[in-house]
Amino acid sequence: MTLYDELVARGLIAQVTNEEEIKEMINNGKATFYIGFDPTADSLHVGHFMALCLMKRLQMAGNKPIALIGGGTGMVGDPSGRTDMRQVMTPETIQHNCDCFRKQMSRFIDFGEGKALMVNNADWLMNLNYIDVLREVGAHFSVNRMLTAECYKQRMEKGLSFLEFNYMIMQSYDFYYLFQHYGCNMQFGGDDQWSNMLGGTELIRRKLGKDAHAMTITLLLNSEGKKMGKTQAGAVWLDPNKTSPFEFYQYWRNVGDADVLKCIRMLTFLPLEQIDEMDTWKGEQLNKAKEILAYELTELVHGKEEAEKAQATARALFSGEVDTENMPATQLSMDDLQDGKIGILTLMVKAGLAASNGEARRLVQQGGVLVDGEKVADATAAFTAEQLQAGIVIKKGKKIYHKVTL
């Protein structure tokens, strides 16, 4: 099976241009391709997972990845899939986020000499002259056609800023710049990015002639993948300081029955033959599949040792044992207490078990919160410094445990 055939079999390809040429290039390690990441936070999350795994697969086959960090486009904000305008970040925040991204991406991509690149589009976009952009780039875009793009159509009724309207032009210019300066001949992106990606392909051909080869591929479910990063208490991050390896493991261990084999196929590096055998699994066997998924992805992001710890802890909790040593934990200081105690609602927010006091209150009222095995029936319940020094274990719902100490 060729690499391209494997990508199709894993459900990763949705749309392509020039399919035969794309097959020939990636199957023979001739592609220099880029995927863009907007630095909207100081950590990647599981919504980026599909793109990172794809870059790893392609690099293993001899192709050269370019991780494009959107330090420039991040100043504008991508309107795709949004109902309102993204908050504009400072250059310092964007640079900090870019630095964090590189460290996390290094677990997936080999940035050794000549093997891969990480570039920041602020390096060229921030230096562009406005009049030059209008004349040299804007002239190649039809406003009528841009307005038919799904990313803009969804925003027309609620309001689309002129700032965001330029995002397609900027992303298109990225591909044009990478093609000229780095020999980038292919771009990958989510199915929600198709219009922006076609814009870059067409800009290259209009500026450099029809013989200029630039190709696009979209990833099936990548826009859905962005939603993967969200849970009730926030995002599932790749940074262990934001989402512990155990919490990361548990996220994948708890995927729905209908999604587990799809995730194994798309995100793990297990052989397709092995995955095909799992297609017939049902009932209790699906729990085994979820364990396999959770272990494989935790090992990929956090390493074998953390994956084994997370799996051991999860199995202990499932059997009724409480493994406090490897359990996710939060350490408070006396400054977190008021009059020597802290309320359950504040405690749950500080531990990341609820996004707000209101959400924590609802969980308590619904009977979904236990402390040291006892149900918390009163939303005004509080815990003293003495209790916290000994350590307490909060259980949220059926499967989420968290230790809190002072």
Side-chain angles (χ1 to χ4, degrees):
M1 180 181 286
T2 67
L3 174 61
Y4 186 85
D5 290 338
E6 181 179 350
L7 298 181
V8 172
R10 289 183 180 273
L12 291 169
I13 305 297
Q15 300 179 80
V16 301
T17 61
N18 309 324
E19 183 175 46
E20 292 305 314
E21 289 185 79
I22 288 172
K23 286 181 180 180
E24 195 275 332
M25 291 178 70
I26 67 173
N27 288 341
N28 294 290
K30 297 179 181 178
T32 298
F33 67 96
Y34 93 89
I35 298 180
F37 301 82
D38 272 349
T40 53
D42 59 0
S43 173
L44 298 164
H45 57 70
V46 299
H48 297 112
F49 218 96
M50 190 180 300
L52 294 170
C53 291
L54 177 75
M55 296 176 89
K56 182 179 178 71
R57 290 184 207 281
L58 290 168
Q59 186 179 49
M60 289 169 63
N63 298 287
K64 183 176 180 180
I66 299 176
L68 174 65
I69 307 300
T73 43
M75 299 290 288
V76 172
D78 184 1
S80 299
R82 297 187 61 85
T83 58
D84 57 358
M85 184 171 167
R86 180 179 281 125
Q87 184 177 356
V88 177
M89 298 180 293
T90 66
E92 292 77 17
T93 298
I94 290 173
Q95 185 56 53
H96 171 71
N97 294 349
C98 290
D99 294 340
C100 294
F101 277 21
R102 182 183 181 95
K103 182 179 179 180
Q104 292 171 8
M105 286 180 177
S106 295
R107 292 200 67 93
F108 295 82
I109 305 166
D110 182 357
F111 286 105
E113 187 174 353
K115 294 183 178 180
L117 291 172
M118 176 175 281
V119 295
N120 187 336
N121 63 14
D123 294 342
W124 56 85
L125 292 178
M126 299 294 279
N127 297 324
L128 290 175
N129 177 282
Y130 184 62
I131 299 299
D132 288 342
V133 172
L134 292 178
R135 288 171 57 89
E136 300 299 323
V137 182
H140 297 285
F141 287 81
S142 162
V143 171
N144 289 352
R145 187 171 179 182
M146 290 173 70
L147 290 175
T148 65
E150 206 58 40
C151 59
Y152 292 144
K153 284 167 62 178
Q154 295 174 359
R155 290 288 303 279
M156 291 302 291
E157 292 184 8
K158 294 191 176 182
L160 175 70
S161 71
F162 182 71
L163 179 71
E164 295 171 294
F165 190 64
N166 284 272
Y167 191 90
M168 181 186 291
I169 294 175
M170 296 174 71
Q171 183 172 330
S172 299
Y173 186 82
D174 283 342
F175 194 17
Y176 171 69
Y177 186 92
L178 293 173
F179 181 88
Q180 285 195 299
H181 293 83
Y182 296 100
C184 181
N185 49 29
M186 195 176 297
Q187 60 179 331
F188 285 76
D191 54 356
D192 59 332
Q193 294 289 311
W194 186 242
S195 297
N196 294 347
M197 294 166 67
L198 287 180
T201 298
E202 292 179 7
L203 178 62
I204 290 172
R205 291 175 179 171
R206 290 189 179 190
K207 293 283 289 181
L208 303 177
K210 293 182 180 180
D211 293 334
H213 284 74
M215 306 174 194
T216 59
I217 296 181
T218 66
L219 306 184
L220 183 67
L221 300 177
N222 202 33
S223 57
E224 179 181 314
K226 292 177 182 178
K227 300 172 188 175
M228 287 182 183
K230 301 298 180 183
T231 67
Q232 289 183 346
V236 178
W237 305 101
L238 305 194
D239 183 345
N241 296 315
K242 286 176 167 287
T243 299
S244 71
F246 173 76
E247 291 169 317
F248 186 85
Y249 178 97
Q250 283 292 83
Y251 172 81
W252 295 107
R253 175 63 180 79
N254 294 327
V255 299
D257 289 355
D259 294 327
V260 58
L261 288 176
K262 178 173 66 177
C263 289
I264 288 176
R265 195 175 295 277
M266 299 174 85
L267 302 177
T268 76
F269 287 80
L270 295 175
L272 281 171
E273 295 82 2
Q274 180 181 346
I275 300 171
D276 289 340
E277 292 176 2
M278 299 164 69
D279 274 336
T280 59
W281 287 10
K282 295 180 181 179
E284 189 60 32
Q285 288 179 306
L286 289 178
N287 287 326
K288 181 180 178 182
K290 292 176 186 180
E291 275 200 342
I292 292 171
L293 171 67
Y295 181 89
E296 290 292 325
L297 298 190
T298 305
E299 181 182 19
L300 187 59
V301 175
H302 298 296
K304 185 174 182 178
E305 182 179 352
E306 291 296 339
E308 290 178 348
K309 283 183 184 178
Q311 187 171 73
T313 302
R315 286 176 173 174
L317 293 175
F318 185 78
S319 65
E321 302 174 14
V322 178
D323 180 1
T324 57
E325 182 179 350
N326 295 315
M327 184 183 296
T330 296
Q331 190 173 58
L332 303 179
S333 69
M334 288 300 296
D335 291 338
D336 294 310
L337 277 60
Q338 189 171 5
D339 298 327
K341 58 186 178 181
I342 185 171
I344 184 61
L345 305 186
T346 304
L347 188 56
M348 290 184 67
V349 173
K350 287 186 177 294
L353 296 172
S356 65
N357 280 2
E359 181 184 326
R361 181 177 288 104
R362 286 191 297 274
L363 288 167
V364 170
Q365 292 171 343
Q366 292 165 3
V369 179
L370 283 76
V371 173
D372 290 340
E374 297 291 330
K375 184 177 292 187
V376 179
D378 187 354
T380 64
F383 301 89
T384 65
E386 290 75 20
Q387 289 174 294
L388 294 169
Q389 283 171 343
I392 63 172
V393 173
I394 303 175
K395 182 182 180 184
K396 171 187 166 185
K398 295 181 178 179
K399 301 177 179 177
I400 298 176
Y401 288 79
H402 199 98
K403 184 178 180 180
V404 181
T405 59
L406 185 65

